[in-house]
Amino acid sequence: MPSFAPIKAKMEAEGIAASAISAFESTFNSLVSGNTGMIPESTISPVPDLVSAESINVEPSTELLKETVVLKLNGGLGTGMGLDKAKSLLKVKDDDTFLDLTAKQVMKMRKDYGFNVKFMLMNSFSTSKDTLAFFAEKYPSLREEEGLEMIQNKVPKLDATTFEPATCESDPSNEWCPPGHGDLYAALVGSGRLDALLSEGYKYMFVSNSDNLGATLNLKILTHFATTEAPFMMECCERTENDKKGGHLAVRNSDNQLILRESAMCADEDEGAFQDVTKHRFFNTNNLWIRLDKLKEIIDKFGGFIPLPMIKNSKTVDPKDDSSQKVVQLETAMGAAIECFSGASAIVVPRTRFAPVKKCDDLLLLRSDAYMINSDFIPMLNPLCGGKAPVISLDSKKYKLVDQRCGQIKDATLDLTDVAGLGPLKPSVVSTSPIKGQAPGTSGLRKKTKVFMGENYLNNFVQAAFDAVKASGTDVSEGSLVIGGDGRYFNKEAIQTIIKMGIANGVKRFWIGKDGLLSTPGVSTIIRERGPVWQKAFGAFILTASHNPGGPDEDFGIKYNCENGGPAPDKLTAAMYANTTTIKEYKICKDFPNIDISSIGCNTVTSTDGSTEVTIEVIDTTAESVKLLKTIFDFGAIKNLLDRPDFTMVYDSMHGVNGPYAKAIFVDELGQDESVCVNAVPKDDFNGGHADPNLTYAKELVATMGLDKKGHKIDVGGAKIPSFGAAADGDGDRNMILGTQFFVTPSDSLAIIAAYADVIPFFKSQGGLKGVARSMPTSGAVDLVAKDLNFDLFETPTGWKYFGNLMDSKALYGGKDYTPFICGEESFGTGSNHVREKDGIWAVLAWLSILASENTDAAKPLVTVEDIVIKHWTKYGRNYYCRWDFEGVEKVGANAMMDKMRAETAANTGKVVGKYTIATADDFTYVDPVDGSVAKKQGIRFLMSDGSRIVFRLSGTAGSGATVRMYIEQYEPENISMPVADALQDLITVALELCDIKNFCGTETPTVIT
């Protein structure tokens, strides 16, 4: 094991205090023992609600000031801002520096309270001389006070391999580094200041950073700290998405002790949970309150130092030379001491007490007239700002350093929007006003096309989305924005608008599908799979109304997908909607040229002065999806099936976006004739059809497969019926599976794919399927498979985002890993964790894989789709199931019907209706097992005592009017050959009686039955 002896010798030779050497030895021992410094998510819990400083109900006691010392950390040079002196000597307002305002705060407080409140600085070797000279010149009375300064220690950098002291012959000063502000405690001991303060009667210390002018001695908080008798108290703020990359407060599970977890203490696999601001809600402001007598007890207990968690940073010995010796720098954080104090507490303070200056952006904002200095010498937001600080974002390359014009302009109003250098990248701000009804549903915002084409309708929603995405912490200037859609009417025009608005909102790179075409699962694939890493997509706009009709008089839609490839979660869509209700303006680059999206290639547009550029890359629509699917399935086995003379298939893309994907896979990859792909040319109105893959709307395919719209066999004369048929919807995420004169329900399809998962390499190579999920209205067929094969099973609301959470349980949330994973909805959506959307062509390839596995011997008769389904029913029983859609009904009546059933759930529970007894009537509520979010009003359920079910939902995906969906399910373990209508007739009668839809909506005849 590496020895501390050479490190100790080097520190002693430098004159470092014994307390600092002991503290560093503790940190070193942690390093060499194999401690990574990581705090796993599994070892902590979120902090419960904290006391708010604004709700404290105590009488402030000025007597406590006699026992209190204020200490400012003043060791930073501000090297990140190009400084070679104390950052606190930067001018903030007029001629006042940070230290000016701090000194004035102290003197004003002394005058107001009539007490000589003790004031101290912890300087570093680098800041001491300039700081003391400053006080001697401007505040001599403070300079002359006993014990004004104590000096921060320094520690050796260590060789990254041997952990011996690093060397730097070119500049020996590079061999040392600051030990972090956790050195506060060692410095207090080594300087003798802790003992001196205690002997002088001081009991309380308030510590904060010198660049945080909002952190002043608050008498009310001091009194609260004293009366609670806590040994240590941390001031915290509520985390927002902008704070998600910073440290947070937590509770250690082993002893319920408050601890601090910094970003360097978080493993990659826990990053999702670390950044979840709804889970870990509080961050450390570095404003600390310390009982000095309790600090002394802990230091004595550990032999002269306080043991703090290690923070390990990998660097080079010469920070300006990446090829120099690799080193580790060991630091500690002073806030981490919270875990050393039994009974430590925390308090939530307003953001006004946390206003540090870390970048030139912060400094310029503080110097501007957006902030005023009040009578207590505390910066306050100018009332003219309306409670919201302006956002300043300087070019980090040009204005990173203070001397690069930052603050050189004085008493001037700047308007840079007309600078000629911006040219086509010049953003315009257009006034607008809220438009009602822009709340996204489960799959985005859908309205009539002409509504979207109306003035500012699309622009308002896109701006609201950009504002919400940026507020969530996403930096849209990094990575790529994907844009594409299903090719419906207005698709190409909308893409040009989004590009121009994206540039005005800071996006630097776009990936656009050729001709504007990208399927919904294709977009998810591109987000997750396309590189290089530095161009990885941060999100996407998908222009689709899915299975809804297209055209100038039909439907259009838009949805946003996040960096995991999945739909925006409820929190983000709620923020988008909230923004639409208050929007006053949107940003757009009006002079940016329209991009030719018909040809693959890069288009780079540069500002006139060459200072910045934007790249719009038109990409191959299908390439990434085909590449991924070839890693999931055994294309060789599927081709062997397709090449059998007794096997034929047809794939109907219904003139939606999946036509190019079908050709790329079945013709180009699997060598089939183009006749396999029907209706494969995308059209902006889906050729006048309704691109919804069900028995009612996929008329051409259903007839080809020898069925009618109810799934009954029809006489096809002498026509040869294909062995296998499949259809896709407009945006390619749904599927319908058919055999020769045989319809496979989506619920049965999901169950069978789960049962056969091991024939698909993606699942088998990962040790087999682990988890399955279905939407609540989907039949329980997959439940039986999950129980038999011991899969984790979930019942979720309708909406693929709920499945996405389960897929990302470990990667983003630090929870259990449920992948490999299969999920599906009764609305013809099936998929797996290869993407974060349902995937129509994936389901088709899964079925072909199942058929291939049952037909390995070409000499034997073909095992058909019907054979596989009947075999499944024989083993597991049959869930007779159907869905009735009542489309285009009046929303008022539909809502009234749902409200009536919701109000009667208690009364209906236990009620006998026909031959059924309602065991439970409820309104389905889902508590997400991954992030704890709650989704209410997800459907009215009538659960019968024999296991039958009736479910009612209002669809959130209709472009106009309302769609009432009624789901009927009856399980039969043995009687598997009844006609569906006969098996469900009694239950349908009961359902119509319970909902009274004829009275509320004027009909009890469905428009679609599936």
Side-chain angles (χ1 to χ4, degrees), residues 185-186 188-189 194 294-306:
Y185 310 107
L188 278 169
V189 175
L194 178 59
K294 299 298 182 181
L295 175 62
K296 173 69 172 173
E297 289 177 10
I298 293 175
I299 288 174
D300 289 345
K301 175 183 176 182
F302 287 98
F305 69 96
I306 184 168

Side-chain angles (χ1 to χ4, degrees), residues 297-456:
E297 289 177 10
I298 293 175
I299 288 174
D300 289 345
K301 175 183 176 182
F302 287 98
F305 69 96
I306 184 168
L308 296 176
M310 173 192 69
I311 300 174
K312 175 185 173 184
N313 294 304
S314 297
K315 306 281 186 179
T316 55
V317 68
D318 184 346
K320 298 178 181 179
D321 182 3
D322 291 341
S323 65
S324 63
Q325 181 184 13
K326 297 285 190 296
V327 298
V328 293
Q329 295 180 192
L330 302 184
E331 300 180 9
T332 57
M334 69 175 184
I338 194 170
E339 70 178 61
C340 301
F341 290 84
S342 178
S345 65
I347 187 171
V348 181
V349 297
R351 286 268 175 164
T352 52
R353 290 186 62 77
F354 180 69
V357 173
K358 301 299 181 187
K359 300 185 296 182
C360 288
D361 304 38
D362 307 324
L363 180 61
L364 188 58
L365 181 60
L366 199 53
R367 286 177 173 177
S368 76
D369 60 359
Y371 276 89
M372 307 168 64
I373 302 298
N374 68 11
S375 59
D376 292 321
F377 300 99
I378 300 172
M380 304 295 290
L381 192 63
N382 191 322
L384 295 177
C385 291
K388 185 176 181 181
V391 175
I392 293 180
S393 181
L394 300 175
D395 186 325
S396 61
K397 295 180 180 178
K398 289 190 171 186
Y399 301 104
K400 180 179 181 181
L401 309 181
V402 173
D403 61 353
Q404 294 173 324
R405 294 183 60 109
C406 182
Q408 291 184 12
I409 299 170
K410 184 177 180 181
D411 297 330
T413 299
L414 299 180
D415 184 351
L416 302 180
T417 56
D418 290 324
V419 173
L422 293 175
L425 305 186
K426 172 187 172 183
S428 297
V429 177
V430 181
S431 296
T432 187
S433 56
I435 299 173
K436 291 184 178 179
Q438 289 197 313
T442 56
S443 296
L445 177 65
R446 296 181 186 174
K447 298 290 180 183
K448 287 299 182 184
T449 304
K450 288 181 178 177
V451 173
F452 269 97
M453 295 173 69
E455 184 179 9
N456 292 343

Side-chain angles (χ1 to χ4, degrees), residues 753-775:
I753 294 174
Y756 276 88
D758 272 355
V759 307
I760 299 171
F762 178 80
F763 300 108
K764 186 175 183 180
S765 65
Q766 297 182 72
L769 188 63
K770 291 182 183 176
V772 294
R774 62 171 174 83
S775 64

Side-chain angles (χ1 to χ4, degrees), residues 577-598:
Y577 174 58
N579 290 343
T580 68
T581 65
T582 59
I583 190 170
K584 295 181 180 178
E585 60 189 30
Y586 63 82
K587 301 173 186 175
I588 188 169
C589 290
K590 293 181 177 180
D591 296 331
F592 192 83
N594 281 351
I595 299 298
D596 179 7
I597 59 175
S598 65

